[in-house]
Amino acid sequence: MTVGRIYLTTPIYYVNAAPHVGHAYTTVNADAIARWHRLMGDEVMFLTGTDHHGLKIQRAAEAAGESPQVWSDRNSQAFEDANVLLNISNDDFIRTSEPRHYESVAWLLQRVKDNGFIRKGTYEGLYCVGCEAYYEPSDLIEVNGEPNCCPIHKRPVEFVVEDNYFFELSAFEDKLLAWLDANPDAVTPVSKRNEVLGFIKSGLRDFSISRSSISWGIPLPWDPEHVTYVWFDALTNYATAVGLGRDQERFDHWWPTVHHMVGKDILRFHCVYWPAMLMAAGLLPPQQINVHGFLLIGGEKLSKTGFAQIYPQDLADEFGVDAVRYHLLREVPLGADGEFSHEGVVARYNSDLANNYGNLVARTATVVEKKCGGVGPAPRADSPLAAVAAEVLADVSAAWLEPLPAKALEATWRLIRETNAYLEQNAPWKADPGPEVDAVMGDALEALRIVTVLTAPAMPTICQDVWERLGLPGQVLDQRVPAAAMWGGYPGGLTVTKGTPLFPRK
Ligand code: ME8
């Protein structure tokens, strides 16, 4: 079920604060999906990065007494560090302050202008600096008696009047609807697709793409007094990284396969503005946009400006990197909002990792050591676990491609649970060494091998460790599914090592 080639992206994050688990949620999910595709043998390009322009960044730099370039490039490092910490396998990291991006943005703007979709006008509007977006009065809410607050940042918006260039989004209503109609999977999940359809059908307004009042941004090629404002700049990063306007061959290679993963806060920009901008330039809209919900703390969106903050490093110190990755993938399935809590991490760690996967590894290795002389027996072709493993492989493969990592892991854990139950039923630890015990342990080792291949995109380091404990050679991530996850791959005769507990109980 290989897709052949896929170009995966995360949003580029604003550099005005340190990365928190909200960012890690998106990046780890995209990373695991990228790793699954590599495991399938697909050609993968995986991009993440940081967003450097805009008023928010300019103001933060000014407050620190630094140039926005220096300030934003330094802060971007925190995101690269978080990627290293979380073992993110990105092939590129883009900063919108880079020369390659200036070149690609200028190319796109000029192309859209030449095609007649950019015009000059005056803009009056209510602007949220936090979102870097204009709001309609009807979108605004009252917060603690303060009217006209942004529904996301809960702070008053600003009234702005200026000469701007506009992108003629209104010209794309029919084309966007036709695109969504022809591509039912272009926006997932379906609830978010419906939101996009509703937004387009309610009527699209042209949006401002430039500002003359600030300097920190990319100058318009035909009017350098203006800088490109935020979304035309930020969204283009995805095209920059594969050579838009600079390397046509590379762009043509990757662009038709692009899949964006984004939070629901930036759904409109990715599912409406961006496809229209691409169409205006005569380019293909994204192949797929996967929109997820928010991690919440006590019902509130976890954000860098609010009080509710949890940093990946603190969790990694306590639970280990792979357990943090597992939690981010498993606890809140992509799509809906979900609570993130310390108690939740402990509970899932204990149930799924310590009591299930960790326990299966420990008890299997212990019995092989005690009853099979430390050498793993081969599995039986007609093991009752073989049928379960086949079903699990089909479910897991389908779920990763939806893409729903939480569902894929849930399906994988079925094989873990059924193998633990099979061991309990047969209780090889009570039996005398012999063919019966060997048969049961061969089956358990094989199930464990399959589970370990299927879990490797989620927990690459732990799974490599288990792979080696099972005596298997090479790298688990160099295996190729589906072949490597089919029953019968464990050869028997390998030395099995018990090692220290993988997931000590919390
Ligand atoms: O919007 N739960 O950057 P940003 C889940 N630069 N995901 C969360 C989250 C939470 N509580 N908090 C943040 C921007 N995220 C722009 C994007 S893209 C061309 C430009 C994740 O730093 C989620 O992916 O505000 C969300 O969409 C993104 O971080 C917003 O990051």
Side-chain angles (χ1 to χ4, degrees), residues 80-237:
E80 292 210 57
D81 294 347
N83 288 345
V84 172
L85 170 78
L86 292 166
N87 200 1
I88 302 303
S89 63
N90 54 305
D91 299 292
D92 192 358
F93 186 96
I94 188 164
R95 296 176 150 129
T96 54
S97 55
E98 291 176 62
R100 61 172 171 162
H101 186 58
Y102 277 57
E103 237 183 280
S104 290
V105 170
W107 188 94
L108 184 72
L109 282 164
Q110 192 63 56
R111 174 65 80 95
V112 174
K113 175 129 193 314
D114 293 347
N115 288 349
F117 295 109
I118 291 179
R119 64 173 169 86
K120 202 166 183 180
T122 306
Y123 200 92
E124 288 191 4
L126 299 165
Y127 195 80
C128 171
V129 178
C131 296
E132 302 280 15
Y134 284 102
Y135 273 95
E136 294 297 317
S138 58
D139 291 332
L140 303 174
I141 59 166
E142 190 177 310
V143 177
N144 301 330
E146 181 86 61
N148 297 334
C149 289
C150 162
I152 291 177
H153 292 88
K154 313 262 166 37
R155 285 194 311 247
V157 293
E158 298 178 21
F159 185 69
V160 174
V161 185
E162 64 175 347
D163 261 359
N164 279 184
Y165 286 92
F166 285 77
F167 172 63
E168 293 185 347
L169 181 65
S170 55
F172 290 89
E173 277 177 33
D174 291 345
K175 287 187 190 112
L176 287 167
L177 291 173
W179 163 62
L180 289 167
D181 194 44
N183 299 280
D185 293 334
V187 175
T188 72
V190 117
S191 58
K192 302 291 191 250
R193 172 190 160 84
N194 290 339
E195 214 176 304
V196 173
L197 284 169
F199 180 69
I200 299 170
K201 286 179 182 161
S202 72
L204 296 178
R205 290 178 44 163
D206 297 349
F207 68 90
S208 157
I209 61 156
S210 72
R211 304 289 292 269
S212 50
S213 54
I214 70 162
S215 52
W216 177 231
I218 301 179
L220 299 184
W222 62 88
D223 187 350
E225 293 300 303
H226 288 252
V227 297
T228 323
Y229 209 56
V230 183
W231 289 100
F232 227 92
D233 164 352
L235 290 160
T236 307
N237 88 84

Side-chain angles (χ1 to χ4, degrees), residues 11-14 20 22-23 25-26 51 231 234-235 237-238 262-263 265-266 270 292-295 301-302 304:
I12 46 168
Y13 305 110
Y14 288 128
H20 55 65
H23 303 117
Y25 177 62
T26 313
D51 191 350
W231 289 100
L235 290 160
N237 88 84
Y238 305 126
V262 297
D265 47 340
I266 49 180
H270 283 80
H292 62 69
F294 289 152
L295 294 188
K301 182 190 174 213
L302 189 156
K304 53 190 148 198

